[in-house]
């Protein structure tokens, strides 16, 4: 006979084996979410293995089946931006999920360390920004404020309650977009952690612990692009800072690859002034990344006042990032880039290095006095302070020279932790990026450009180098000074010079005369 207890045990085991899990959806699809417009939108969650379910949203209906691990995913068709509130309905075998108040707009993720983490409540302009937060159609998915726990984070509407904990940089970024795109909802995902090295944000750069914990769980949520403010931790020594040249590009590539959404825009805050020993190397690595990747842009912040690690006002940072987005992500005809040097167009002309810049708008211009923070060096790399001016005839070019370096090879600009007086801007008021070191080639001489370049002289190009002298200036320099086709003693101008008279006696001489350093022997100069 089978005991009653054993019957109950068998039944209970059977019930566990046949019980079905309720369908779930990722927390990114909570009430008040913003879905990315213009591209297919993945929606995913869990259910019982093999369970069939439907997802209905904005007049779309999609069917899915959970795989053997209980995971499911569908893709909503591309949709236009809409401030109208929509409800997502997910129906499984055992339950129905309703997510209300969802809008369709532009979604951006912001990440990095403390300067991206620091909340709006700590910002210099916090009071006014918080009071006005509800006036802009923004939604926040604030992983940062939730201790990095993605699974417990939900979307919040921008208002006086949610805004104080939001990243100040990302808040100002989103607010500017909301002002310029008034009919488009703005969704901001923030995941940043103070005092973290770049190696924690990408497995290709190091441990990738924060990447796996706080970025991978967000993938493949449909986004427009990313903003990045990090590098302070990596600037504590030259060795760590130098790694940034390959770590930042690899991070961007890893994020894009794992997101599966192509080469989405990646906008980087180039480090401002601060007293960290190798921060200038980080700045240059950020610049190089932008120059090498057409979908990476930087905002130059070297003009911001003070030298604190945490600039007290983040509004200029957010606005400049948003201006990049308006230009390059949304196609507005505005000036968004700072002047960036063009190594291929720059060149050496005699005692001057001519540094050519791109993105000058209506021209380069100094702010508050002569150009400063320029240095020049010879082939040994010994830098000295140099005079620099915007070229009179080329408003995209800075001419740099020093009387102590007649043959310059290298030039740099504002390459210090805290440069003082760096004041080169374009006409739109954006500061030029620092230059770590530029060694341009010599220019091919062009006669008639009003510049006496290497390879030109007063014989070949008198219009650039000035008219030649009327007679030979020296009779033993192997130069045709007066450009008459003969040089030195072959020119009649030198006939009375002692050296030429001596040379004329080389074929005959008197017994008591000297012919230069030779003696007269048998009537011959020997």
């Amino acid at each position: 006979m089978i005991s009653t207890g054993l019957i109950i045990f068998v039944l209970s085991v059977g019930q566990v084996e046949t019980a079905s899990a309720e369908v779930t959806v990722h927390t990114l699809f909570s009430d008040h979410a913003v879905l990315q417009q213009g591209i297919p939108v993945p929606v995913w969650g869990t259910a019982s293995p093999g369970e069939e379910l439907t997802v209905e949203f904005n007049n779309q209906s999609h069917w899915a089946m959970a795989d053997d691990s209980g995971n499911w995913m569908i893709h909503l068709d591309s949709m236009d931006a809409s401030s109208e509130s929509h409800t997502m309905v997910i129906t499984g075998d055992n339950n129905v999920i309703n997510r209300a108040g969802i809008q369709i707009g532009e979604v951006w993720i912001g990440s990095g360390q403390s300067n991206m983490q620091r909340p709006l409540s700590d910002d210099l302009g916090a009071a006014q920004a918080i009071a006005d937060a509800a006036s802009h159609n923004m939604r926040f998915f604030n992983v940062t404020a939730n201790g990095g726990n993605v699974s417990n984070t939900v979307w919040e509407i921008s208002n006086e309650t949610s805004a104080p904990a939001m990243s100040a940089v990302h808040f100002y970024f989103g607010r500017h977009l909301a002002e310029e795109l008034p009919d488009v909802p703005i969704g901001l995902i923030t995941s940043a952690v103070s005092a973290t090295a770049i190696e924690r944000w990408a497995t290709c750069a190091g441990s990738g612990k924060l990447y796996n914990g706080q970025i991978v769980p967000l993938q493949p949520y449909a986004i427009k692009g990313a903003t990045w403010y990090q590098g302070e931790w990596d600037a504590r020594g030259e060795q760590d800072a130098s790694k940034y040249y390959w770590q930042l590009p690899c991070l961007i590539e890893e994020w894009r690859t794992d997101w599966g959404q192509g080469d989405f825009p990646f906008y980087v805050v180039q480090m401002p002034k601060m007293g960290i020993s190798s921060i200038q190397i980080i700045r240059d690595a950020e610049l190089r990344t932008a120059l090498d990747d057409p979908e990476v842009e930087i905002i130059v912040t070297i003009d911001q006042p003070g030298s604190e690690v945490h600039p007290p006002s983040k509004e200029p940072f957010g606005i400049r990032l948003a201006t990049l987005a308006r230009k390059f992500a949304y196609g507005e005809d505005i000036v968004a880039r700072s002047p960036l040097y063009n190594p291929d167009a720059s060149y050496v002309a005699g005692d001057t290095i001519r540094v050519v810049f791109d993105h000058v708008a209506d021209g380069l211009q100094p702010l508050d006095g002569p150009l400063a923070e320029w240095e020049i060096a010879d082939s040994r790399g010994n830098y000295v302070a140099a005079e620099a001016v915007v070229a009179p005839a080329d408003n995209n070019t800075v001419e740099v020279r020093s009387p102590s370096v007649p043959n310059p090879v290298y030039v740099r600009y504002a390459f210090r932790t805290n440069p003082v007086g760096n004041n080169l801007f374009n006409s739109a008021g954006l500061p030029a990026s620092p230059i770590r070191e530029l060694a341009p080639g010599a220019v091919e001489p062009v006669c008639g450009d009003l510049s006496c370049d290497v390879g030109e002289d007063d014989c070949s190009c008198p219009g650039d180098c000035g008219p030649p002298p009327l007679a030979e200036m020296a009779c033993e320099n192997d130069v045709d000074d007066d450009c008459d086709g003969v040089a030195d003693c072959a020119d009649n101008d030198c006939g009375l010079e002692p050296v030429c008279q001596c040379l004329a006696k080389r074929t005959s001489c008197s017994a008591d005369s000297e012919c230069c350093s030779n003696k007269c022997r048998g009537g011959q100069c020997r």
Side-chain angles (χ1 to χ4, degrees):
M1 177 181 292
I2 301 174
S3 70
T4 304
L6 180 58
I7 294 174
I8 295 173
F9 173 75
V10 171
L11 289 175
S12 66
V13 170
Q15 289 169 350
V16 170
E17 291 178 344
T18 60
S20 297
E22 290 191 341
V23 65
T24 72
V25 66
H26 194 285
T27 186
L28 277 160
F29 304 94
S30 68
D31 292 344
H32 314 305
V34 179
L35 305 184
Q36 177 61 42
Q37 68 163 325
I39 60 174
V41 175
V43 181
W44 69 95
T46 64
S48 297
E51 182 177 356
E52 297 181 3
L53 56 106
T54 59
V55 179
E56 298 172 277
F57 182 78
N58 193 25
N59 300 317
Q60 297 185 41
S61 180
H62 295 267
W63 170 89
M65 177 183 289
D67 63 18
D68 292 343
S69 299
N71 299 310
W72 62 266
M73 179 180 290
I74 62 96
H75 285 79
L76 298 172
D77 299 332
S78 175
M79 299 170 285
D80 294 331
S82 172
S83 296
E84 179 183 351
S85 290
H86 301 271
T87 297
M88 180 179 292
V89 180
I90 302 159
T91 304
D93 290 343
N94 301 298
N95 65 308
V96 177
I97 298 172
N98 289 279
R99 295 289 186 254
I102 297 176
Q103 297 183 334
I104 307 159
E106 293 295 303
V107 182
W108 290 82
I109 180 171
S111 188
Q113 59 177 106
S114 57
N115 274 303
M116 181 63 82
Q117 178 197 41
R118 287 175 79 86
L120 182 62
S121 58
D122 289 349
D123 194 72
L124 196 63
Q128 182 176 352
I130 292 170
D132 184 54
S135 302
H136 308 281
N137 190 4
M138 296 188 291
R139 310 286 177 89
F140 309 141
F141 192 84
N142 197 348
V143 180
T144 303
N146 200 34
N149 192 328
V150 175
S151 63
N152 287 337
T153 304
V154 296
W155 285 92
E156 300 172 283
I157 297 174
S158 176
N159 54 39
E160 292 187 24
T161 301
S162 61
M166 185 59 184
S167 158
V169 171
H170 219 196
F171 174 89
Y172 289 123
F173 168 80
R175 189 183 70 177
H176 189 71
L177 288 184
E179 291 171 343
E180 298 299 325
L181 305 172
D183 298 323
V184 179
I186 304 298
L188 302 174
I189 303 171
T190 307
S191 184
V193 179
S194 178
T196 52
I198 191 173
E199 66 179 24
R200 300 183 67 185
W201 292 102
T203 59
C204 66
S207 69
K209 182 177 180 180
L210 290 172
Y211 177 66
N212 289 323
Q214 296 188 203
I215 301 298
V216 171
L218 303 171
Q219 299 164 348
Y221 196 75
I223 61 172
K224 186 68 173 184
T227 60
W228 177 255
Y229 191 163
Q230 192 275 336
E232 303 92 333
W233 187 265
D234 302 272
R236 296 173 302 158
E238 184 173 348
Q239 184 175 1
D240 286 341
S242 295
K243 295 178 183 178
Y244 217 83
Y245 284 99
W246 62 264
Q247 287 177 320
L248 181 56
C250 90
L251 176 145
I252 294 170
E253 181 180 2
E254 183 171 41
W255 285 34
R256 287 171 171 169
T257 299
D258 292 351
W259 230 287
Q261 199 180 295
D263 291 346
F264 55 76
F266 212 100
Y267 300 152
V268 177
V269 177
Q270 190 189 55
M271 291 289 103
K273 301 175 185 178
M274 64 181 67
I276 302 180
S277 62
S278 297
I279 199 68
Q280 68 271 32
I281 297 176
I282 300 294
R283 290 188 199 114
D284 189 62
E286 291 162 337
L287 170 63
R288 290 306 321 170
T289 303
L291 292 174
D292 293 341
D293 188 323
E295 295 301 325
V296 175
E297 301 287 342
I298 62 168
I299 61 165
V300 179
T301 64
I302 199 71
D303 63 316
Q304 293 302 295
S307 58
E308 299 93 338
V309 173
H310 302 114
S313 176
K314 297 299 197 305
E315 185 173 13
F317 297 75
I319 290 176
R320 288 180 184 177
L321 287 168
T323 303
L324 287 177
R326 290 171 56 200
K327 171 73 174 181
F328 298 106
Y330 305 122
E332 291 190 45
D333 186 16
I334 57 176
V335 177
R337 282 185 177 136
S338 281
L340 305 179
Y341 74 95
N342 185 326
D344 296 325
S346 302
Y347 58 93
V348 178
D351 66 348
T352 301
I353 294 183
R354 291 170 58 85
V355 183
V356 179
F357 284 84
D358 297 326
H359 321 304
V360 302
D362 292 330
L364 296 170
Q365 55 191 29
L367 183 68
D368 299 330
L371 292 179
E373 281 289 343
W374 287 90
E375 297 174 280
I376 204 167
D378 58 18
S379 59
R380 293 169 297 179
N382 298 321
Y383 279 95
V384 299
E387 172 192 352
V389 296
V390 176
D394 301 298
N395 65 6
N396 68 338
T397 302
V398 174
E399 296 179 336
V400 190
R401 63 177 64 87
S402 170
S404 62
V405 186
N407 298 300
V409 175
Y410 304 104
V411 64
R412 66 188 182 192
Y413 169 64
F415 188 68
R416 292 195 287 155
T417 57
N418 293 316
V420 178
N422 53 292
N423 61 341
L424 181 63
F425 288 75
N426 63 19
S427 61
L430 296 174
S433 173
I435 301 172
R436 178 173 186 171
E437 186 167 81
L438 173 62
V443 66
E444 291 292 331
V446 177
C447 192
D449 65 359
L450 303 181
S451 175
C452 189
D453 302 318
V454 175
E456 294 180 337
D457 56 32
D458 47 17
C459 294
S460 63
C461 194
D464 290 354
C465 300
L470 298 177
E472 290 291 284
M473 301 299 294
C475 295
E476 47 184 334
N477 64 353
D478 294 324
V479 175
D480 179 15
D481 298 303
D482 58 358
C483 307
D484 63 358
V486 289
D488 295 345
C489 292
D491 193 311
N492 290 333
D493 296 332
C494 294
L496 298 178
E497 290 295 317
V499 65
C500 295
Q501 289 184 336
C502 182
L503 291 173
K505 295 177 182 179
R506 282 187 183 277
T507 56
S508 64
C509 60
S510 60
D512 59 350
S513 69
E514 290 189 357
C515 186
C516 299
S517 61
N518 301 315
K519 296 294 184 180
C520 186
R521 296 287 187 271
Q524 295 293 318
C525 187
R526 301 180 187 278

